[in-house]
């Protein structure tokens, strides 16, 4: 899919949020690392370009720059934070380092009208924003004018209206800039003139047509993990090619209570999709025996899954394509900005392609979507809300929620505690307010007294966060009464746990998983 808006990434930890805000306005866009931007532009010239923030300083010679053709395309360009700095430097302005640090909440004051700030107030109005910069623009390029200032930045918003070049010193993509989405919408829709016609209905129709064209009359196998992503992929592809699709569900024995049964019922019963169900719990446990290192556990689980999948795929016979639920964040993280924060792809994904021995081509119809967009596609496809809205569950499953060695006993203890926790969340009507909630069996034991007996049992930690995209998250503010009720149930009903704690740490971009 050709992207009308291209976001050039200079390594900001919130670059993905720029794309999300643009897409939320109904316009499709993509992110590309700065060192691959020239190639992307040559392949498909965009109608607008956004230059992201980043951790570097433009004043240093070795730091990233935008391809010069960005400023020669004749399309609108918006520079955000570092993007504004490099735009100024590349177009003949001046930037100095180290004497204008401005981090956190600030107010900008509008100095003159501009289509970029349409709807944000008249001249003199103030607007809250989120700043994060250490350098300072000291001279604008020729043709630019000041649109807004802040106490720490005389060039908080600048514009060359004739060329449709804009620079902003703050981050409009984060929620701490309350009306930042309005600014991005103004840039994309009013200034660039791009119609907001990207919808899940349109995406569904386009992807079904693409799958039919790619696959033809050949066979596809899909690895079902039981999660939302692979499930949506399976239903979409089945809608495209029917019984040419066979799903293989490898039950690792590391799933939450009842989930394996739910997957089988949904796909075999409700959708009547050809399904191979492999109960491999004992094999996974045997290979994980004695292993405590979290990364090693991930690799063992991934390798075991592939071994089983290969074996079952050979039994199906004749399949030339493998479908998997790769998401857009996975794609971005697999081609990170040099020196930027997104440098490690989750080790159980095959985003960069499949091992040569598999002799298959990939079908990845949701690789252009963020997590909540996949949920929207699932609803568009008619998947049950209870399934589509289910909290994310990592590929390695409960194995990364048991720090230390994995045993059948620990799995059973954790599964029971997790079930109680989620049950209490649902009873309280909080499930849909929380992005992800789960229990963790900590690798420590504590002494406790239960009745007249002294116990020496496990500690269980509870985690719950709010988010929209899984990129950033904050702890969910449970009331004390809820935590007390949940902890009491877990201690009373789960043999092997005598203490419950609540993990109330928020998180920066990265993984919400435990290990």
């Amino acid at each position: 899919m050709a992207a009308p808006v291209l976001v050039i990434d200079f390594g900001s930890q919130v670059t993905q949020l720029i794309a999300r805000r643009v897409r939320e306005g109904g316009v499709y866009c993509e992110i590309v690392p700065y060192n691959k931007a020239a190639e992307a532009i040559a392949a498909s010239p965009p109608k607008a370009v956004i230059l992201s923030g980043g951790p570097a300083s433009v004043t240093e010679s070795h730091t990233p720059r935008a391809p010069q053709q960005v400023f020669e395309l004749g399309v609108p360009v918006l520079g955000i934070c570092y993007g504004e700095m490099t735009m100024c430097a590349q177009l003949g302005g001046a930037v100095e380092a180290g004497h204008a640090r401005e981090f956190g909440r600030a107010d900008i004051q509008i100095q003159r009208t501009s289509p970029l700030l349409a709807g944000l107030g008249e001249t003199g109005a103030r607007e809250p924003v989120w700043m994060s910069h250490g350098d300072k623009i000291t001279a604008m390029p020729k043709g630019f004018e000041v649109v807004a200032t802040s106490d720490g930045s005389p060039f908080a918003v600048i514009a060359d209206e004739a060329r449709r070049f804009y620079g902003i010193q703050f981050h409009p993509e984060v929620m701490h800039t309350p009306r930042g989405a309005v600014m991005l919408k103004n840039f994309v829709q009013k200034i660039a003139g791009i119609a907001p016609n990207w919808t899940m209905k349109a995406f569904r129709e386009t992807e079904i047509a693409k799958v039919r064209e790619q696959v033809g009359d050949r066979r596809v196998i899909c690895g079902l993990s039981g999660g939302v992503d692979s499930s949506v992929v399976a239903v979409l592809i089945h809608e495209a090619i029917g019984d040419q699709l066979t799903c293989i569900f490898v039950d690792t024995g590391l799933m939450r209570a009842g989930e394996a049964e739910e997957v089988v019922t949904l796909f075999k019963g409700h959708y009547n999709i050809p399904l191979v169900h492999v109960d491999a719990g004992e094999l996974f446990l045997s290979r994980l025996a004695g292993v405590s290192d979290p990364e090693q556990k991930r690799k063992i689980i991934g390798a075991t899954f592939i071994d089983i999948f290969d074996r079952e795929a050979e039994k199906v016979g004749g399949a030339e394509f493998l479908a998997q639920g790769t998401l857009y964040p996975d794609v971005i993280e697999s081609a990170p900005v040099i020196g930027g924060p997104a440098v490690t792809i989750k080790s159980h994904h095959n985003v960069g392609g499949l091992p040569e021995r598999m002799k298959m081509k990939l079908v990845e119809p949701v690789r252009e979507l963020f997590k909540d967009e996949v949920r929207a596609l699932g609803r568009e496809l008619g998947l049950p809300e209870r399934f589509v809205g289910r909290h994310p569950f990592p590929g390695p499953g409960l194995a990364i929620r048991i720090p230390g060695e994995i045993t059948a006993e620990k799995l059973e203890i954790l599964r029971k505690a997790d079930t109680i926790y989620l049950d209490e969340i649902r009873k309280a009507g909080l499930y849909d307010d929380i992005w992800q909630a789960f229990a963790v069996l900590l690798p420590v034991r504590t002494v406790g007294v239960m009745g007249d007996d002294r116990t020496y049992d496990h500690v269980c930690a509870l985690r719950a966060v709010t988010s929209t995209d899984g990129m950033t998250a904050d702890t969910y503010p449970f009331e004390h009464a809820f935590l007390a009720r949940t902890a009491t149930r877990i201690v009373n009903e789960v043999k092997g746990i005598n203490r419950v704690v609540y993990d109330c740490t928020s998180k920066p971009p990265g993984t919400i998983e435990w290990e």
Side-chain angles (χ1 to χ4, degrees):
M1 181 184 298
V5 179
L6 188 67
V7 179
I8 298 179
D9 184 13
F10 292 108
S12 169
Q13 61 178 342
V14 292
T15 296
Q16 293 194 34
L17 295 182
I18 300 173
R20 290 192 45 72
R21 298 297 172 257
V22 174
R23 291 186 182 193
E24 286 167 1
V27 175
Y28 181 66
C29 74
E30 290 183 355
I31 299 170
V32 62
Y34 74 90
N35 52 335
K36 297 185 178 180
E39 180 183 343
I41 291 169
S44 181
K47 296 179 180 179
V49 175
I50 300 176
L51 309 177
S52 86
S57 172
V58 173
T59 61
E60 299 175 9
S61 60
H62 64 279
T63 51
R65 298 292 184 268
Q68 198 59 34
Q69 71 245 55
V70 165
F71 307 111
E72 300 168 357
L73 288 170
V75 303
V77 180
L78 172 64
I80 296 173
C81 200
Y82 182 90
E84 180 190 30
M85 300 285 187
T86 194
M87 180 165 63
C88 280
Q90 291 181 240
L91 295 178
V95 179
E96 294 183 3
H99 60 81
R101 291 167 60 84
E102 197 174 16
F103 297 96
R105 289 181 174 85
D107 284 341
I108 59 169
Q109 185 172 32
I110 299 174
Q111 303 298 325
R112 72 174 187 84
T113 60
S114 169
L116 185 67
L117 303 184
L120 289 150
E122 303 298 326
T123 300
R126 301 183 73 84
E127 184 72 23
V129 300
W130 186 263
M131 292 283 189
S132 181
H133 66 96
D135 291 350
K136 181 180 182 179
I137 296 170
T138 55
M140 292 184 296
K142 185 178 179 180
F144 280 80
E145 293 183 290
V146 173
V147 174
T149 62
S150 72
D151 291 342
S153 178
F155 304 104
V157 181
I158 61 175
D160 180 338
E161 303 286 7
R163 288 187 289 180
R164 297 183 295 173
F165 291 170
Y166 300 86
I168 54 181
Q169 194 58 78
F170 51 89
H171 288 274
E173 67 271 30
V174 302
M175 65 179 181
H176 304 297
T177 302
R179 295 204 282 181
V182 174
M183 302 176 202
L184 290 171
K185 184 176 180 180
N186 286 340
F187 174 73
V188 170
Q189 298 184 27
K190 292 186 177 181
I191 294 170
I194 302 172
N197 54 14
W198 188 68
T199 64
M200 272 305 118
K201 181 178 180 181
F203 181 88
R204 170 187 179 179
E205 293 171 353
T206 298
E207 288 305 311
I208 286 174
K210 285 171 65 175
V211 169
R212 287 172 178 164
E213 181 180 359
Q214 179 185 7
V215 172
D217 60 357
R218 290 163 292 183
R219 296 185 59 79
V220 179
I221 55 175
C222 176
L224 273 181
S225 68
V228 174
D229 306 333
S230 61
S231 299
V232 169
V233 165
V235 173
L236 179 72
I237 293 176
H238 186 254
E239 186 168 315
I241 61 172
D243 288 348
Q244 291 170 239
L245 170 71
T246 298
C247 290
I248 299 176
F249 171 45
V250 179
D251 183 355
T252 64
L254 303 171
M255 299 181 71
R256 291 173 291 204
E259 287 190 335
E261 294 81 0
E262 186 177 6
V263 170
V264 173
T265 299
L266 180 66
F267 286 90
K268 236 178 186 176
H270 183 76
Y271 283 103
N272 199 29
I273 296 175
L275 176 69
V276 176
H277 176 204
V278 185
D279 185 353
E282 290 186 6
L283 177 60
F284 278 88
L285 267 179
S286 67
R287 292 191 178 182
L288 289 167
V291 178
S292 297
D293 179 74
E295 188 61 21
Q296 188 64 22
K297 285 192 286 189
R298 287 172 176 271
K299 290 178 179 178
I300 290 170
I301 292 167
T304 304
F305 184 94
I306 290 295
D307 287 346
I308 297 170
F309 193 88
D310 279 354
R311 183 190 70 205
E312 297 300 325
E314 286 183 12
K315 293 179 182 177
V316 171
E320 297 183 33
F321 295 89
L322 172 66
Q324 64 179 25
T326 302
L327 301 189
Y328 197 43
D330 301 326
V331 176
I332 296 168
E333 290 172 10
S334 68
V337 169
I338 298 171
V343 294
T344 304
I345 182 64
K346 296 178 182 67
S347 52
H348 54 279
H349 280 280
N350 295 305
V351 179
L354 294 171
E356 290 185 12
R357 61 184 172 80
M358 292 194 74
K359 308 294 183 186
M360 285 182 157
K361 301 183 183 76
L362 281 173
V363 181
E364 299 174 304
V366 299
R367 70 180 280 123
E368 297 169 344
L369 300 184
F370 289 99
K371 186 75 175 186
D372 58 314
E373 292 170 337
V374 173
R375 295 187 193 280
L377 178 59
R379 294 182 180 100
E380 175 69 28
L381 290 164
L383 276 154
E385 183 59 36
R386 182 179 173 89
F387 197 87
V388 173
R390 194 165 62 190
H391 291 176
F393 192 60
L398 297 179
I400 61 166
R401 293 175 182 170
I402 303 176
E405 184 182 3
I406 308 299
T407 67
E409 179 189 17
K410 288 180 180 178
L411 284 169
E412 186 61 20
I413 290 171
L414 178 58
R415 200 171 275 120
K416 288 179 178 178
D418 192 68
T419 299
I420 292 170
Y421 183 33
L422 294 178
D423 180 56
E424 286 296 327
I425 288 174
R426 288 187 184 278
K427 285 179 177 177
L430 302 175
Y431 191 84
D432 293 336
D433 296 333
I434 297 170
W435 166 261
Q436 189 180 48
F438 56 85
V440 177
L441 197 66
L442 299 181
V444 294
R445 290 175 180 259
T446 61
V447 175
V449 176
M450 300 178 70
D452 295 322
D453 292 329
R454 182 185 295 272
T455 62
Y456 184 63
D457 284 328
H458 293 281
V459 177
C460 174
L462 305 180
R463 175 87 161 130
V465 295
T466 58
S467 181
T468 56
D469 50 25
M471 293 305 301
T472 57
D474 202 354
T475 182
Y476 186 82
F478 284 124
E479 293 182 359
H480 177 75
F482 171 87
L483 293 173
R485 182 169 63 250
T486 303
T488 298
R489 275 197 64 189
I490 290 174
V491 170
N492 285 343
E493 298 177 31
V494 183
K495 186 177 180 181
I497 293 176
N498 68 359
R499 192 177 303 275
V500 176
V501 297
Y502 181 55
D503 172 13
C504 58
T505 54
S506 59
K507 65 173 279 293
T511 180
I512 298 176
E513 298 166 7
W514 189 263
E515 286 192 340

